[in-house]
Amino acid sequence: MSTGTWVLFDLDGTLTQSEEGIWNCARYALGKMGYAEPDAATLRKFIGPPLVWSFQELIGMSEEQAIRAQGIYRERYNTLGLLENRVYPGIRYALRCLKKAGMHLGVVTGKPENATRRILEHFGLIGFFEQIVCATDNKADKEQMIRKALPEGVTDAWMVGDRKYDMEGGRQAGIHTLGVTYGYGSEEELTESGAEKLARSPREIAEVLCPGTEGVSGAFLSMEGLDGSGKGTQLERLQDTLERYGYELVMTREPGGTPISEKIRGILLDRENVGMTDETEVLLYAAARAQLVREVIRPAVRDGKVVLCDRFVDSSAAYQGGGRQLGIERIMEINRPAVDGTMPDLTVYLDIDHRKSLERRMAVSEPDRMEMEADSFHARVEEGYHKLIAMDPGRFAVVNAEGDRDGIAAEIAEKVLARLRMLEMED
Ligand code: TMP
């Protein structure tokens, strides 16, 4: 540990948003004790005050009942509620920028140590922090905790938080204070309690504390699979997970994703275009892609976002290279100017037998021009994907797509999160 600039963060309302877990646990405890589901306004009041007080004052329980309710609440909180958190979008970006600028980061929170560490661990944030100071024995004196978090000799330090306790604690400990207005405290509360600076979004924290530092880049992910592999559902599930983890997501698709590319999509999937030659088809997919790479994917990745693209050049390689038998190498060659070196950091492949996937697809809606192709076409597409994976195994996360949706979603999440974390560590 060394001196230099230290930035200490409060947890709840600054790094993470915890209301979902709090509300679910309050509902659970009340249900178990035979109380009716409280309205949203009452639930909202559970954030902040001690639980026993809330159960007594907001619900009308006796002290004995409230203590029992607290026990039931905690039982759920320690297993499930704790992880029903959300990292504010942009927090990961801000933490990476501060680290890149050479700052030392810490967490100072009124939450107990066990819960704090589990939350930070679960969301892959713990590696950012050199120091974690938590409340002990229900005592949460922020000033003392801040002093404890800072190594001796530190002269430049900031407390970043969303409530007056953070601002007052920071001032009393003699360090700078930055109030975040996106948490649970109002701008008024923060300025009145002495916030020197304000940040209206997580990204602004980095802008205020290390202005002029070059930003960090994001990542490019794609998902591939046969028509009917469950790609739509799994993209939605992955989007939810990544947003919960604080990644700023840009969802897009191929062919499409820009106004020009969507027009090309219309031509490609139009059932009337039966006369389209294979070469025209390849070039139209490549043209739509060239636009998407330049207009959406590159700018977003440069800006630190995570792009999640429904299909990319692998689809051309599998469908036109395999399905249409134009050859994978030839398709990659044709696509070289379109892609121009921009390839996914990770491609999730939903692995499913082509007969099963087509059956699933046909049960849902009318087939488009591509889906109207014969069984042998789809068999060659599947084979094409397997060749691509064998050519570049490190880029693919292959997931068996024939199991249950939740299991598939969990496996995808684990693999994608691991890759994103690896990329973050490269800063
Ligand atoms: P979607 O139904 O997943 O949106 O994909 C549209 C169709 O286009 C699908 O059948 C796969 C096909 N396709 C290709 O043949 N080549 C490509 O390069 C892309 C991106 C999609």
Side-chain angles (χ1 to χ4, degrees):
M1 240 170 267
S2 74
T3 53
T5 301
W6 276 76
V7 186
L8 305 176
F9 287 86
D10 163 57
L11 181 65
D12 252 1
T14 304
L15 296 173
T16 58
Q17 220 174 340
S18 54
E19 63 259 29
E20 192 184 320
I22 294 173
W23 293 341
N24 287 344
C25 293
R27 276 199 205 102
Y28 174 79
L30 289 169
K32 281 258 168 184
M33 292 187 62
Y35 283 82
E37 163 116 13
D39 57 31
T42 308
L43 273 177
R44 227 169 288 133
K45 294 192 188 130
F46 268 81
I47 302 172
L51 281 170
V52 172
W53 181 92
S54 299
F55 284 120
Q56 281 180 279
E57 299 303 317
L58 305 175
I59 307 293
M61 289 183 181
S62 68
E63 192 182 348
E64 190 197 333
Q65 284 174 316
I67 291 172
R68 246 183 70 215
Q70 176 182 249
I72 301 172
Y73 176 106
R74 286 199 173 147
E75 186 189 291
R76 187 182 182 281
Y77 188 80
N78 287 331
T79 50
L80 295 173
L82 196 67
L83 308 177
E84 289 166 340
N85 252 291
R86 299 187 81 84
V87 179
Y88 285 103
I91 277 294
R92 311 190 85 91
Y93 179 85
L95 296 176
R96 288 174 64 200
C97 288
L98 297 177
K99 273 256 170 210
K100 193 175 168 191
M103 297 181 176
H104 302 277
L105 311 182
V107 171
V108 171
T109 172
K111 257 197 173 18
E113 173 137 11
N114 183 27
T116 302
R117 286 192 177 269
R118 279 180 61 202
I119 292 168
L120 293 173
E121 196 114 28
H122 178 80
F123 289 102
L125 293 174
I126 204 149
F128 284 109
F129 301 106
E130 293 171 52
Q131 188 65 285
I132 296 171
V133 176
C134 303
T136 44
D137 310 328
N138 286 331
K139 276 210 241 49
D141 177 338
K142 280 254 157 140
E143 179 197 344
Q144 290 311 317
M145 292 197 286
I146 291 168
R147 287 188 190 279
K148 198 168 148 196
L150 295 172
E152 206 137 318
V154 170
T155 50
D156 189 24
W158 288 83
M159 179 68 213
V160 182
D162 68 316
R163 300 302 306 268
K164 67 175 181 195
Y165 315 104
D166 304 312
M167 302 300 102
E168 288 167 357
R171 284 172 66 94
Q172 286 155 7
I175 66 172
H176 298 293
T177 51
L178 168 60
V180 300
T181 61
Y182 56 79
Y184 300 116
S186 64
E187 186 167 329
E188 218 175 24
E189 172 181 328
L190 291 164
T191 38
E192 276 172 12
S193 54
E196 277 168 58
K197 303 243 172 159
L198 291 177
R200 287 175 181 79
S201 68
R203 278 196 176 222
E204 253 190 74
I205 298 173
E207 283 161 24
V208 171
L209 297 184
C210 51
T213 308
E214 204 194 328
V216 293
S217 47
F220 174 24
L221 309 171
S222 64
M223 197 180 287
E224 297 280 350
L226 300 170
D227 301 281
S229 57
K231 192 163 50 66
T233 310
Q234 292 303 333
L235 278 162
E236 262 178 42
R237 298 285 296 265
L238 182 58
Q239 174 180 10
D240 270 4
T241 304
L242 295 181
E243 284 175 349
R244 186 178 277 282
Y245 276 68
Y247 290 101
E248 299 161 291
L249 226 57
V250 172
M251 298 294 291
T252 189
R253 69 167 178 183
E254 276 220 353
T258 76
I260 293 169
S261 312
E262 287 291 332
K263 282 187 186 166
I264 301 174
R265 179 187 179 92
I267 302 171
L268 278 162
L269 301 185
D270 188 341
R271 288 159 59 112
E272 283 183 11
N273 287 340
V274 280
M276 188 182 296
T277 71
D278 292 351
E279 289 71 20
T280 308
E281 185 179 289
V282 172
L283 291 167
L284 283 175
Y285 277 117
R289 182 164 301 130
Q291 191 67 30
L292 183 72
V293 163
R294 288 154 183 83
E295 196 176 321
V296 176
I297 298 175
R298 278 185 191 158
V301 172
R302 224 179 286 132
D303 190 31
K305 310 265 169 64
V306 172
V307 176
L308 178 51
C309 193
D310 179 352
R311 300 192 178 282
F312 194 60
V313 69
D314 299 306
S315 282
S316 281
Y319 281 80
Q320 282 67 52
R324 302 261 184 250
Q325 298 179 288
L326 295 176
I328 289 180
E329 283 76 17
R330 187 155 165 236
I331 296 299
M332 287 304 199
E333 195 54 46
I334 292 171
N335 272 276
R336 205 178 297 276
V339 169
D340 191 31
T342 297
M343 284 298 279
D345 294 296
L346 184 72
T347 298
V348 176
Y349 177 64
L350 297 176
D351 197 14
I352 188 168
D353 182 85
H354 65 279
R355 285 172 230 104
K356 256 191 209 144
S357 66
L358 211 63
E359 233 168 68
R360 276 201 207 167
R361 185 67 191 86
M362 294 306 175
V364 179
S365 64
E366 285 281 296
D368 61 32
R369 192 178 63 89
M370 300 302 289
E371 288 161 352
M372 280 161 35
E373 287 295 333
D375 188 57
S376 54
F377 174 85
H378 293 281
R380 287 195 302 273
V381 175
E382 186 186 354
E383 195 189 328
Y385 272 125
H386 287 145
K387 275 192 200 150
L388 283 164
I389 293 161
M391 281 161 67
D392 193 2
R395 178 166 62 85
F396 284 91
V398 180
V399 176
N400 181 345
E402 293 179 23
D404 76 293
R405 287 177 179 191
D406 290 347
I408 298 169
E411 193 180 336
I412 295 174
E414 194 190 318
K415 290 183 166 160
V416 169
L417 288 167
R419 182 62 56 100
L420 290 177
R421 234 164 268 158
M422 223 175 80
L423 293 169
E424 281 176 351
M425 292 304 142
E426 283 171 9
D427 284 345

